[in-house]
């Protein structure tokens, strides 16, 4: 079974802090994604990566950056956390894009609260 | 870009059948996914449609009509554990090929 793990289930940070969210997948997937999920807004893509050291902006990249130094690990960084970044953050991975059967596998999520 | 529409909430009775609709507008369709997400948990993959017609998987089926920009997820013999959000995601040709998610439908199954 594919397993996607995230470093924390719950996190509380103060405004202005630098925040790191870590994600690891164990199935040698090419692609990894970071989403945030908010009530009434659904899943919104922040950043994705299709290879080591490669990254692409999603729909809402402002205030975030990412790092992918190893194939299995994709980190989301909040350079200076703000209260409007309070959300559920979901990491996902997939085998390859554009191919049939390239469904995404999601981690359990990190609920981040910025006070 | 894509415009994906799903009902916000639906309720149904245990043992019944429920159909969750998803309509979309896209310039180049390349596949539609359904995911299930229980409260506080990760979304999990249910089905994938790229050609017109019905795909059946046990109690769950998914239908696609590309000409109408329409899909539905059909859940039969509803169980209490089917109470969850159901997410429709549509992929377009070109660009990054990454699916865009709808806002999800919250299904409540009651006894």
């Amino acid at each position: 079974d594919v397993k996607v793990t995230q470093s924390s289930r719950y996190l509380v940070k103060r405004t202005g802090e630098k925040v790191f969210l870590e994600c690891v997948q164990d199935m040698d997937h090419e692609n990894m994604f970071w989403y945030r999920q908010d009530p009434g807004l659904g899943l919104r893509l922040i950043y994705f990566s299709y290879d080591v050291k490669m990254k692409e902006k999603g729909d809402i990249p402002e205030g975030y950056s990412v790092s992918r130094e190893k194939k299995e690990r994709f980190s989301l960084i909040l350079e200076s956390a703000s209260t409007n970044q309070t959300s559920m953050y979901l990491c996902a991975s997939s085998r390859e894009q554009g191919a049939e059967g390239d469904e995404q596998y999601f981690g359990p999520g990190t609920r981040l609260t910025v006070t | 870009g894509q415009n994906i529409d799903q009902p916000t909430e639906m309720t149904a009775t245990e043992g019944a059948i429920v159909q969750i609709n998803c309509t979309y507008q896209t310039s180049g369709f390349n596949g539609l996914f359904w995911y299930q997400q229980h409260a506080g948990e990760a979304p999990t993959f249910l089905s994938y449609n790229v050609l017109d017609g019905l795909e059946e998987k046990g109690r769950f089926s998914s239908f696609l009509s590309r000409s109408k920009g329409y899909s539905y997820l059909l859940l039969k013999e509803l169980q209490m554990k089917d109470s969850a959000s159901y997410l429709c995601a549509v992929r377009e040709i070109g660009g990054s090929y990454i699916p865009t998610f709808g806002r999800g439908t919250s299904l409540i199954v009651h006894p």
Side-chain angles (χ1 to χ4, degrees):
Chain A
D1 277 351
V2 175
K3 194 170 182 183
V4 180
T5 57
Q6 295 183 227
S7 49
S8 306
R9 288 301 304 269
Y10 300 93
L11 211 51
V12 180
K13 295 291 181 180
R14 293 188 183 273
T15 302
E17 278 192 85
K18 192 168 186 176
V19 182
F20 293 87
L21 302 182
E22 305 283 340
C23 175
V24 177
Q25 51 94 3
D26 66 359
M27 279 301 289
D28 201 36
H29 281 174
E30 302 295 325
N31 307 297
M32 296 188 75
F33 312 83
W34 275 106
Y35 292 89
R36 62 178 285 175
Q37 187 174 33
D38 301 286
L41 296 178
L43 278 167
R44 294 182 291 166
L45 182 65
I46 305 171
Y47 267 97
F48 67 98
S49 169
Y50 53 87
D51 202 351
V52 175
K53 297 193 185 295
M54 305 301 288
K55 60 184 180 184
E56 295 283 344
K57 293 180 180 179
D59 300 317
I60 51 164
E62 297 78 20
Y64 304 94
S65 62
V66 290
S67 172
R68 194 167 180 199
E69 296 297 317
K70 293 184 178 182
K71 190 175 186 180
E72 68 272 17
R73 189 179 297 269
F74 192 35
S75 302
L76 179 70
I77 303 148
L78 287 67
E79 295 290 341
S80 177
S82 63
T83 54
N84 63 12
Q85 291 179 310
T86 292
S87 186
M88 172 67 85
Y89 289 88
L90 288 162
C91 174
S93 71
S94 71
R95 188 163 42 96
E96 57 182 303
Q97 289 308 119
E100 186 162 343
D102 65 338
E103 66 269 23
Q104 292 169 298
Y105 294 83
F106 287 84
T110 296
R111 185 164 293 283
L112 173 67
T113 303
V114 183
T115 61
Chain B
Q2 300 167 45
N3 186 20
I4 302 169
D5 196 33
Q6 308 177 231
T8 303
E9 189 174 291
M10 300 181 69
T11 59
T13 306
E14 194 175 15
I17 300 172
V18 72
Q19 177 175 310
I20 302 173
N21 296 325
C22 173
T23 58
Y24 63 88
Q25 295 172 324
T26 179
S27 53
F29 176 81
N30 189 244
L32 186 145
F33 300 81
W34 284 97
Y35 289 83
Q36 179 190 59
Q37 185 179 22
H38 285 101
E41 297 183 13
T44 55
F45 170 74
L46 286 177
S47 68
Y48 172 75
N49 296 73
V50 68
L51 299 176
D52 291 351
L54 190 68
E55 296 278 343
E56 296 189 74
K57 268 188 189 180
R59 293 189 300 114
F60 291 8
S61 303
S62 58
F63 171 83
L64 176 68
S65 169
R66 289 172 295 172
S67 62
K68 295 181 179 177
Y70 168 68
S71 173
Y72 67 72
L73 183 69
L74 192 71
L75 291 72
K76 303 176 187 174
E77 302 169 16
L78 278 174
Q79 302 176 9
M80 299 296 289
K81 67 178 183 180
D82 297 330
S83 292
S85 282
Y86 292 86
L87 312 178
C88 170
V90 177
R91 185 172 60 199
E92 273 189 320
I93 291 171
S96 61
Y97 282 91
I98 296 176
T100 298
F101 283 83
R103 298 185 179 190
T105 299
S106 177
L107 174 66
I108 301 168
V109 180
H110 54 83

